[in-house]
Amino acid sequence: MTLDDRNPDRTDILHEYFIGFDRFGEFLTACRDVIPASYQEFLNVTLRYVAQDDQSMLSYAKVPRIAAVMSFSQEMTIRGEADMARMTRDLIDRIAAIDGAYYLPYRPHATIAQLSQTYENAVRFSRAKRDLDPDLVLRNNLWDSYLGQL
């Protein structure tokens, strides 16, 4: 597969995880355990530095972190989608266990429990959103799938 593949039976999927510098080895171990056990084709990873963000209520970088932007090729089948969801939840569990985070706006494969564990201010954010927008004029998939249920 290449990044410019036009195969209508496959789609490219991004994941992004944020890991502390001191836990990066554990992140690699998690990836070695979880990704090969899936049906997903791992295409590449880009690493970048993410500065600390202590301003955002849903910060994925409470301390400086390494961001790992991972690209996968997924078959567009029920099996492929179910396997991607399972692999994503498995990676999130492993990354949450090492005090990492995942990027929220991607596909809603995480569980509400995973969101709450990774983003401890999620309930507070949800309440603030309801106070500022009681009619829920501004909503999206993140709200409908997760935050609106908190």
Side-chain angles (χ1 to χ4, degrees):
M1 289 289 154
T2 64
L3 293 176
D4 66 346
D5 188 17
R6 303 274 190 255
N7 184 342
D9 298 326
R10 300 191 72 83
T11 188
D12 290 347
I13 304 296
L14 286 178
H15 286 211
E16 190 164 4
Y17 300 100
F18 305 92
I19 305 94
F21 290 89
D22 59 333
R23 309 301 291 267
F24 193 70
E26 293 168 272
F27 168 72
L28 293 176
T29 298
C31 290
R32 286 185 193 113
D33 291 346
V34 173
I35 296 169
S38 74
Y39 299 116
Q40 306 311 317
E41 185 174 341
F42 179 57
L43 298 176
N44 68 12
V45 62
T46 300
L47 303 176
R48 63 184 172 87
Y49 171 80
V50 176
Q52 179 176 343
D53 173 10
D54 54 7
Q55 301 296 309
S56 300
M57 199 176 293
L58 298 177
S59 174
Y60 47 76
K62 298 174 278 188
V63 297
R65 292 196 169 162
I66 297 170
V69 181
M70 304 165 74
S71 181
F72 296 90
S73 176
Q74 175 193 318
E75 61 183 45
M76 294 179 57
T77 63
I78 293 170
R79 175 187 91 139
E81 181 63 18
D83 183 63
M84 178 61 76
R86 181 205 51 79
M87 185 192 78
T88 302
R89 287 189 295 271
D90 289 351
L91 281 172
I92 290 171
D93 280 343
R94 296 285 296 271
I95 288 155
I98 59 171
D99 298 320
Y102 63 97
Y103 193 55
L104 289 170
Y106 292 141
R107 301 164 87 200
H109 288 161
T111 66
I112 291 175
Q114 288 175 321
L115 175 111
S116 297
Q117 178 185 4
T118 307
Y119 293 93
E120 67 267 2
N121 288 326
V123 171
R124 193 171 132 227
F125 179 90
S126 181
R127 286 186 195 131
K129 162 74 170 128
R130 283 186 175 91
D131 289 344
L132 292 170
D133 183 11
D135 296 326
L136 300 176
V137 173
L138 302 174
R139 291 180 24 206
N140 59 22
N141 193 26
L142 180 63
W143 178 265
D144 292 341
S145 297
Y146 299 103
L147 297 168
Q149 298 179 46
L150 298 178

